[in-house]
Amino acid sequence: MAGKVYLETFGCQMNELDSELVTGQLRALGYRFTPDAHQADVVLYNTCSVREHAEQKVWSRLGELAIRKATDPGLVVGVLGCMAEREGGALMKRMPVVDLMVGPAELDKLPALLDNALRTRASLLADGRVLGEAGEGGVRRLTSAGQVALAGSSSRRSSTLAAAGDQLEMLDLSRAVSPDDHSGSAYVRITRGCNKFCTYCVVPHTRGAEVHRPPEHIVDECKRLADAGVVEVTLLGQTVNHYRFEHGAQVSVGGVVQPQKGRVYKRTDEHTDAYAGQNVTTFAGLLRRIHEEVPGILRLRFVTSYPRSFGNDVLEVIRASPRVCRYLHVPAQSGSDRLLSMMNRGYSVGEYLEFLDRARAFLHEPELGRPLTVAGDIIVGFPSETEADHEATKALLLRTRYKNCFIFKYSSRPGTVAHEKLADDVPEDVKRRRNGELLEVQNRVSAEVSAEYLGREVTAFVQGVSRREQKKTKRAESLAKAVAVNGAGIGAVALTISASARGDVRARAAEVAGDGADACSVHGAHTEADAGVSAGPVQMSARTDGDLIVLFDAHAGDAAGMIGQIVRVRIESTTALALHGAMAGQG
Ligand code: 5AD
Ligand code: SF4
């Protein structure tokens, strides 16, 4: 029983990938997707619990849906991902508008739950039990009969995250890859879950313990993506450099090789090279295999790296593999040893810097046009953070010279060690001030890193039209709507659009910049790039292989065809956020 689905994704790249897989799975069953929540019979939110702010967005969206459902009782609402896992039954109690919930380790069960929810809903509607009753102020509410009928069979959280995670391999394996489904770039999961238990972090509690996918599955997925025209693959894991698959110990269930539990790295395991020559695929081995066996992938990237146990073997593979990007996202989290220890990160500032120096010694070759760029994450306002700790973090930013750094205000998450044991005692205004100061320092560094590219030619992967261009299109569209609502003629609307939106490329394909962890996007509804509506230049957004944003102008008629391609751009000016230039040719 298919319906029209709206799926919105909150949070990280792992969620982006989960949403893509869920979309493929539902599409194969006949569900259609819409980018407009108001047109949907089914609204799904794939949620993030890393910070409270991300959860609040979902609560407020659910509040809006509750109002809508009062007059549209056929609507089915689902919460997927980390909030479903973390909140459990409490979520449905607080928000009775929610019909189904699926944790990140049970996403393969979504089709069955959704089908069940739609059937139950249909039969309740048919026999009149979900007609609603007048509530306060004349707002209709669902009768409790509807909710009770749905409860019980409508929620899949994992009681044992580990077991559920193993079954999840089927979801990744079922990935449908078609040339129409991508804009040249794709994520491939190598590891699920996390074993690190940083004291502030909810991820090990919501995604479960680390498991590594069999290398054959990963290589095969990369091949299928390349065959479908994907040129850029980003390997995903919470700590990718800890990837490790032991072939002698592999287990098959029903002919399918199962993912393997990760090990807990000790401080002595500084280098993953320890496994060289054993019957083990390490992260270095995996990178090498993909690079060798899938030449169609012109850019191979990976996130996120953990600062400990990052072996020279990985650095050597990157150096020897021209299609592996020289880009590391390797969060430090703090510049204070005292706080790093309270965070249970397992390294000191000195060890972190030693790693960065080692990585740069191997990989930073700007004179050969192959610089290493590094991005980081910092948490500001962790419990007990003093001005001295804060100054140490500022000093770290000056020393690390990240091309960019995501700076997050500490958010106390229930269930974590920090929440249970440490008072969230840095006042909000102090967090805000320190956050601003760190951003200021990082902006200066980012501007300097960008300036090093002035006058150089870079190769860049085109992701779509720039945000500025998207905003222009949006403005033009809402203007058109406003004029239409006010009864003006269609001719007038068209004129206003072309005058105000120079080169109105209606390309909201491939959402562009920003792997910021709070980003959200709408999935499954491909808005086709339909360039050439008018003739002016269109600003395009691309990324260097070091993940720097490159903005350049293209002819409107060429814009759509460029998405997913690699081009050469000569850099003419730079800011902290982006390199600006002119196209010099195809990559
Ligand atoms: N508060 C603030 N930031 C957090 N992160 C993880 N947990 C928290 C939290 N409780 C940040 C870390 C991590 C990134 C994905 O999110 O910096 O690297
Ligand atoms: Fe969270 Fe730490 Fe694991 Fe990253 S490494 S997901 S911050 S527990």
Side-chain angles (χ1 to χ4, degrees), residues 125-166:
L125 281 171
D127 70 14
R129 275 190 283 158
V130 190
L131 286 177
E133 53 196 14
E136 273 173 32
V139 177
R140 293 202 305 165
R141 295 242 169 85
L142 288 178
T143 59
S144 55
Q147 296 302 336
V148 171
L150 281 176
S153 58
S154 55
S155 144
R156 282 306 299 228
R157 295 168 70 224
S158 59
S159 46
T160 53
L161 272 167
D166 287 358

Side-chain angles (χ1 to χ4, degrees), residues 12 49-52 198-203 238 304 329 331-333 345 376-380 382 406-413 416 418 517:
C12 59
S49 291
V50 168
R51 281 168 293 278
E52 196 188 351
C198 302
T199 53
Y200 51 80
C201 186
V202 83
V203 169
Q238 308 295 347
T304 298
H329 178 216
Q333 311 297 5
R345 291 290 288 179
D377 291 355
I378 292 286
I379 295 178
V380 63
F382 188 76
F406 301 102
I407 297 168
F408 303 107
K409 282 186 286 175
Y410 172 70
S411 168
S412 185
R413 307 310 293 135
T416 62

Side-chain angles (χ1 to χ4, degrees), residues 380 409 426-437:
V380 63
K409 282 186 286 175
V426 179
E428 182 56 31
D429 57 332
V430 175
K431 280 185 190 166
R432 208 174 313 127
R433 176 193 36 95
R434 290 180 184 167
N435 188 36
E437 287 176 15

Side-chain angles (χ1 to χ4, degrees), residues 22 40 44 49 66-67 75 122 142 162 175 210 233 239 241 304 353 379 428 452 496 524 554 584:
V22 158
L44 301 175
S49 291
I67 294 169
L75 179 71
L142 288 178
R175 181 177 201 164
E210 196 175 274
V233 162
T239 57
N241 47 310
T304 298
L353 291 174
I379 295 178
E428 182 56 31
E452 290 166 16
T496 321

